[in-house]
Amino acid sequence: MTAGGETGAGPRRYDGRVASPGFAAGPLFRIERSSAPTRQAATLAPEAERARLEAALEQARADLALLVAETSGEASGILAFQLALAEDDTLTDPALSATSTGQSAEAAWQAAVGVLIADYQSASDEYFRARAGDLRDLEGRVLDALAGGAAHIDLPDRAIVVAKDLAPSVFLGLDWSGRGIALEAGSPTSHVAMLARARNVPLLIGLGPVVAEAGEMALIDGASGALIIAPDDLTERRFRTRQAEAEAIRESTAALALKPAITADGERVEVHLNIADPTELESLDPATCDGIGLVRTELLFHGRKGLPGENEQAAVYARILRWAKGRPVTIRTLDAGGDKPIPGLTIDDELNPFLGLRGIRLMLARPDVFRAQLRALLRAAPEGDLKIMIPMVGVPEEMVRVRTMIAEVRAALSSTGTPHGTAAIGMMVEVPAAALTLDQFDTDFVSIGSNDLVQYTLAASRDADLGAALSDAANPAVLHLIETVVRTGRERGIPVSLCGDAAGDALVLPKLLATGLRTISVAAPRVAEAKRVIAAYRTAANAKPRSGLAQRLGRVLGLSDGRRG
Ligand code: PEP
Ligand code: MG
């Protein structure tokens, strides 16, 4: 097999990165959007070019509005963001004006979008850079409309789609069952990557130019990150074996998801779910979890024009509570800022957004937005067992102010006879100061946000690639803080859980259990694996003593087996 880039028949291998794991095999199919050369010089009078562009923009808006109405959750948010861009005069006005200078509608549109794309691409924030993909998607949609409409894509069965990058709206318009995606460019934080992960579609990125003919046999190895074209018999046989093994592991672990999590020495561990998009719940069985440990409400506020109203929020929260069928549901109030900017709400160009006005700090500075969310939460509360969780709490004063506001909101609801319920009020521990002084906080429960706790403890940005050692939840300083929180919770009778990604990491979870933690919350695809790790876990007191050699080896390798002492 040759390394990537060679033309012609024969096996070829391209190595990239796994943005969504899984195996797929089938005929290669290339998607090239807007690859047709666009007209640069105007061939019509300026007014006619302007009218063409106006009509194409109108067409794009109408198509997007239809797609927004047909989708929900995250997908709908992405499309709504594009619709908001298409409706934004600051983007469309310069394009329409440029047609009066003798440019074609296509050239005028591409120039105007190009300026904005360059802006997004040069942003220091990875999140904004990834949004350039949404702009390119909109650019292509309008160009398609100018060319008389997008070509219909008919994917062959089990197709392996190869593309430079894939627009979210193209992804959302296709059926991916049994298929996979191999991108020459791409980003792990792009919307397409997020969507592919949520829908279990294997996706490779960063493969570089792929030289292949449509219909050639292609294999996506979502474990190693390789795309293999025209494999020989031996390579394909090995691939099929690996695929079958991965499937068998997935199936045997999946059965665990429905069982309660019990350690090897019989201790019950609660496993809750992290939810970012309420539509995720549609395909999930409540019996797989002990409750919902974290609903990130940011998505409700993302990619849309204006903030969601109180009624819209109340309906979403009520839906989640009904889904849980009486199990506890922890809904986190808006955690905007840091890596989660929301136009019109968070501060643009904040010098150090992770240390600035984010989470509860921003909500206390914007009581109008906070109050609407609290009202919506309390109105939904009668539908189940609601817990309200406050993000990014650093000092006790913040919880005092939150409780005062909640009391005011409740009084206002009562005074107007608006039906509502009650909820426990808890806080996240993501800031080391909160971990160290937890006994000072007025909180009904605690959930440790290890993602942020790691970055604030190790002074290592969570979205910078600073190496594994600086983003390790098993770092002794982080584990020490977690242990402190678990102990304080136990002493004060306050339930403690952990909802950061560390709980879904099979290597870190035993170390978390060793701190005494007995409640975790993980993303749905991690539930079965977490229960498997818990079933194999034994506390230090009950662990079989290791041989002297094993102990020495363990020390050399830095392994603790999750055992303390
Ligand atoms: C965390 O910080 O661990 C957490 C769960 O919050 P988020 O990842 O949404 O910041
Ligand atoms: Mg956090």
Side-chain angles (χ1 to χ4, degrees), residues 294 296 298 332 335 339-340 354 358 391-392 428-430 448-453 455-456 462 499-500:
L294 168 66
R296 290 180 164 98
E298 293 76 67
R332 182 172 75 181
D335 182 26
D339 57 338
K340 293 174 268 198
F354 274 115
R358 64 166 295 203
M392 281 300 298
M428 292 198 69
V429 171
E430 297 158 289
I448 300 169
S450 54
N451 305 337
D452 277 312
L453 187 62
Q455 76 161 344
Y456 293 127
R462 64 192 270 179
C499 61

Short mmCIF file of all heavy atoms in Angstrom, two decimals, residues 294 296 298 332 335 339-340 354 358 391-392 428-430 448-453 455-456 462 499-500, ligand 2:
data_model
loop_
_atom_site.label_atom_id
_atom_site.label_comp_id
_atom_site.label_asym_id
_atom_site.label_seq_id
_atom_site.Cartn_x
_atom_site.Cartn_y
_atom_site.Cartn_z
N LEU A 294 -26.85 17.07 33.85
CA LEU A 294 -26.48 18.39 33.30
C LEU A 294 -27.22 18.62 32.00
O LEU A 294 -27.07 17.87 31.04
CB LEU A 294 -24.96 18.44 33.02
CG LEU A 294 -24.47 19.63 32.20
CD1 LEU A 294 -24.66 20.96 32.95
CD2 LEU A 294 -22.99 19.48 31.83
N ARG A 296 -27.09 21.47 29.36
CA ARG A 296 -26.42 22.72 29.00
C ARG A 296 -27.44 23.53 28.21
O ARG A 296 -27.84 23.12 27.12
CB ARG A 296 -25.20 22.44 28.12
CG ARG A 296 -24.03 21.77 28.85
CD ARG A 296 -22.89 21.54 27.87
NE ARG A 296 -21.63 21.26 28.53
CZ ARG A 296 -21.13 20.03 28.71
NH1 ARG A 296 -21.82 18.97 28.29
NH2 ARG A 296 -19.97 19.86 29.30
N GLU A 298 -27.05 26.43 26.82
CA GLU A 298 -26.46 27.38 25.86
C GLU A 298 -27.03 27.21 24.46
O GLU A 298 -27.23 28.17 23.72
CB GLU A 298 -24.94 27.24 25.79
CG GLU A 298 -24.20 27.63 27.04
CD GLU A 298 -24.31 26.58 28.13
OE1 GLU A 298 -23.77 25.50 27.98
OE2 GLU A 298 -24.97 26.89 29.14
N ARG A 332 -28.88 23.49 33.99
CA ARG A 332 -27.92 24.54 34.32
C ARG A 332 -28.37 25.85 33.69
O ARG A 332 -28.76 25.89 32.53
CB ARG A 332 -26.53 24.16 33.79
CG ARG A 332 -25.47 25.17 34.14
CD ARG A 332 -24.10 24.66 33.77
NE ARG A 332 -23.87 24.72 32.34
CZ ARG A 332 -22.75 24.31 31.76
NH1 ARG A 332 -21.77 23.81 32.48
NH2 ARG A 332 -22.58 24.40 30.46
N ASP A 335 -24.68 29.39 30.64
CA ASP A 335 -23.24 29.51 30.91
C ASP A 335 -22.57 30.12 29.69
O ASP A 335 -21.78 29.46 29.01
CB ASP A 335 -22.67 28.12 31.24
CG ASP A 335 -21.18 28.17 31.58
OD1 ASP A 335 -20.72 29.23 32.04
OD2 ASP A 335 -20.49 27.16 31.39
N ASP A 339 -15.56 30.04 26.12
CA ASP A 339 -15.58 29.43 24.79
C ASP A 339 -16.99 29.39 24.22
O ASP A 339 -17.20 28.79 23.17
CB ASP A 339 -15.00 28.00 24.87
CG ASP A 339 -15.76 27.13 25.87
OD1 ASP A 339 -16.41 27.70 26.77
OD2 ASP A 339 -15.70 25.91 25.74
N LYS A 340 -17.96 30.01 24.91
CA LYS A 340 -19.34 29.95 24.42
C LYS A 340 -19.91 31.37 24.25
O LYS A 340 -20.76 31.80 25.03
CB LYS A 340 -20.19 29.14 25.39
CG LYS A 340 -19.80 27.66 25.42
CD LYS A 340 -20.54 26.88 26.47
CE LYS A 340 -19.78 26.85 27.76
NZ LYS A 340 -20.19 25.80 28.70
N PHE A 354 -12.15 33.75 29.38
CA PHE A 354 -12.31 32.67 30.36
C PHE A 354 -12.22 33.19 31.79
O PHE A 354 -12.69 32.55 32.72
CB PHE A 354 -11.24 31.60 30.13
CG PHE A 354 -11.66 30.58 29.11
CD1 PHE A 354 -10.99 30.45 27.92
CD2 PHE A 354 -12.75 29.76 29.36
CE1 PHE A 354 -11.38 29.51 26.98
CE2 PHE A 354 -13.16 28.82 28.43
CZ PHE A 354 -12.47 28.69 27.24
N ARG A 358 -18.29 35.58 32.48
CA ARG A 358 -18.94 34.38 31.96
C ARG A 358 -19.77 33.72 33.06
O ARG A 358 -19.64 34.03 34.24
CB ARG A 358 -17.90 33.40 31.39
CG ARG A 358 -16.92 32.83 32.37
CD ARG A 358 -16.17 31.63 31.79
NE ARG A 358 -17.04 30.49 31.52
CZ ARG A 358 -16.61 29.22 31.44
NH1 ARG A 358 -15.33 28.95 31.60
NH2 ARG A 358 -17.43 28.24 31.19
N PRO A 391 -23.74 27.89 37.03
CA PRO A 391 -22.36 27.64 36.57
C PRO A 391 -21.37 28.73 36.99
O PRO A 391 -21.74 29.88 37.22
CB PRO A 391 -22.52 27.68 35.04
CG PRO A 391 -23.63 28.66 34.82
CD PRO A 391 -24.56 28.55 36.01
N MET A 392 -20.10 28.33 37.09
CA MET A 392 -18.98 29.26 37.27
C MET A 392 -19.06 30.08 38.55
O MET A 392 -18.66 31.24 38.59
CB MET A 392 -18.90 30.23 36.08
CG MET A 392 -18.25 29.64 34.86
SD MET A 392 -16.56 29.12 35.18
CE MET A 392 -15.82 30.67 35.60
N MET A 428 -22.19 24.61 40.39
CA MET A 428 -21.08 23.86 39.82
C MET A 428 -19.81 24.27 40.55
O MET A 428 -19.66 25.42 40.94
CB MET A 428 -20.92 24.14 38.33
CG MET A 428 -22.08 23.61 37.54
SD MET A 428 -21.68 23.46 35.79
CE MET A 428 -20.48 22.14 35.80
N VAL A 429 -18.91 23.31 40.69
CA VAL A 429 -17.58 23.66 41.20
C VAL A 429 -16.62 23.53 40.03
O VAL A 429 -16.27 22.43 39.61
CB VAL A 429 -17.16 22.76 42.37
CG1 VAL A 429 -15.70 23.02 42.72
CG2 VAL A 429 -18.04 23.04 43.58
N GLU A 430 -16.29 24.66 39.46
CA GLU A 430 -15.36 24.72 38.33
C GLU A 430 -14.18 25.63 38.66
O GLU A 430 -13.18 25.64 37.96
CB GLU A 430 -16.07 25.27 37.09
CG GLU A 430 -17.20 24.41 36.61
CD GLU A 430 -18.19 25.18 35.77
OE1 GLU A 430 -18.94 26.01 36.34
OE2 GLU A 430 -18.21 24.98 34.55
N ILE A 448 -19.32 18.87 40.07
CA ILE A 448 -17.97 19.32 39.73
C ILE A 448 -17.84 19.37 38.20
O ILE A 448 -18.11 18.39 37.51
CB ILE A 448 -16.91 18.35 40.31
CG1 ILE A 448 -17.06 18.31 41.83
CG2 ILE A 448 -15.50 18.79 39.92
CD1 ILE A 448 -16.26 17.20 42.50
N GLY A 449 -17.45 20.53 37.69
CA GLY A 449 -17.22 20.69 36.25
C GLY A 449 -15.73 20.51 36.00
O GLY A 449 -14.96 21.48 36.05
N SER A 450 -15.34 19.27 35.75
CA SER A 450 -13.89 19.00 35.66
C SER A 450 -13.25 19.69 34.46
O SER A 450 -12.06 20.01 34.49
CB SER A 450 -13.63 17.49 35.63
OG SER A 450 -14.37 16.91 34.59
N ASN A 451 -14.02 19.94 33.39
CA ASN A 451 -13.41 20.58 32.21
C ASN A 451 -12.82 21.93 32.58
O ASN A 451 -11.68 22.25 32.27
CB ASN A 451 -14.45 20.78 31.09
CG ASN A 451 -15.14 19.49 30.71
OD1 ASN A 451 -14.62 18.42 30.93
ND2 ASN A 451 -16.33 19.61 30.14
N ASP A 452 -13.64 22.72 33.28
CA ASP A 452 -13.14 24.04 33.67
C ASP A 452 -12.23 23.96 34.89
O ASP A 452 -11.26 24.71 35.00
CB ASP A 452 -14.31 25.00 33.93
CG ASP A 452 -14.82 25.61 32.64
OD1 ASP A 452 -13.98 26.08 31.86
OD2 ASP A 452 -16.03 25.58 32.41
N LEU A 453 -12.53 23.03 35.81
CA LEU A 453 -11.68 22.92 37.00
C LEU A 453 -10.24 22.60 36.60
O LEU A 453 -9.29 23.14 37.18
CB LEU A 453 -12.23 21.85 37.95
CG LEU A 453 -11.54 21.76 39.31
CD1 LEU A 453 -11.71 23.06 40.10
CD2 LEU A 453 -12.08 20.58 40.13
N GLN A 455 -8.76 23.40 33.72
CA GLN A 455 -8.07 24.55 33.09
C GLN A 455 -7.74 25.64 34.10
O GLN A 455 -6.70 26.27 34.01
CB GLN A 455 -8.85 25.10 31.90
CG GLN A 455 -10.07 25.93 32.20
CD GLN A 455 -10.49 26.79 31.01
OE1 GLN A 455 -9.72 26.98 30.06
NE2 GLN A 455 -11.68 27.33 31.05
N TYR A 456 -8.62 25.83 35.10
CA TYR A 456 -8.33 26.88 36.08
C TYR A 456 -7.28 26.44 37.10
O TYR A 456 -6.56 27.25 37.65
CB TYR A 456 -9.61 27.34 36.78
CG TYR A 456 -10.57 28.06 35.85
CD1 TYR A 456 -11.90 27.67 35.73
CD2 TYR A 456 -10.14 29.13 35.07
CE1 TYR A 456 -12.77 28.32 34.86
CE2 TYR A 456 -11.00 29.79 34.20
CZ TYR A 456 -12.31 29.38 34.10
OH TYR A 456 -13.16 30.02 33.23
N ARG A 462 -8.64 25.31 27.99
CA ARG A 462 -9.22 24.03 27.58
C ARG A 462 -9.27 23.87 26.07
O ARG A 462 -9.44 22.76 25.58
CB ARG A 462 -10.61 23.84 28.20
CG ARG A 462 -11.63 24.83 27.76
CD ARG A 462 -12.87 24.76 28.62
NE ARG A 462 -13.86 23.82 28.11
CZ ARG A 462 -15.02 23.57 28.71
NH1 ARG A 462 -15.33 24.17 29.84
NH2 ARG A 462 -15.88 22.73 28.19
N CYS A 499 -19.80 16.26 36.46
CA CYS A 499 -20.42 16.20 35.13
C CYS A 499 -19.46 16.64 34.02
O CYS A 499 -19.88 16.82 32.89
CB CYS A 499 -21.69 17.05 35.09
SG CYS A 499 -21.39 18.79 35.43
N GLY A 500 -18.17 16.80 34.33
CA GLY A 500 -17.21 17.13 33.27
C GLY A 500 -16.86 15.89 32.46
O GLY A 500 -17.24 14.76 32.83
MG MG B 2 -17.74 24.51 32.67
#
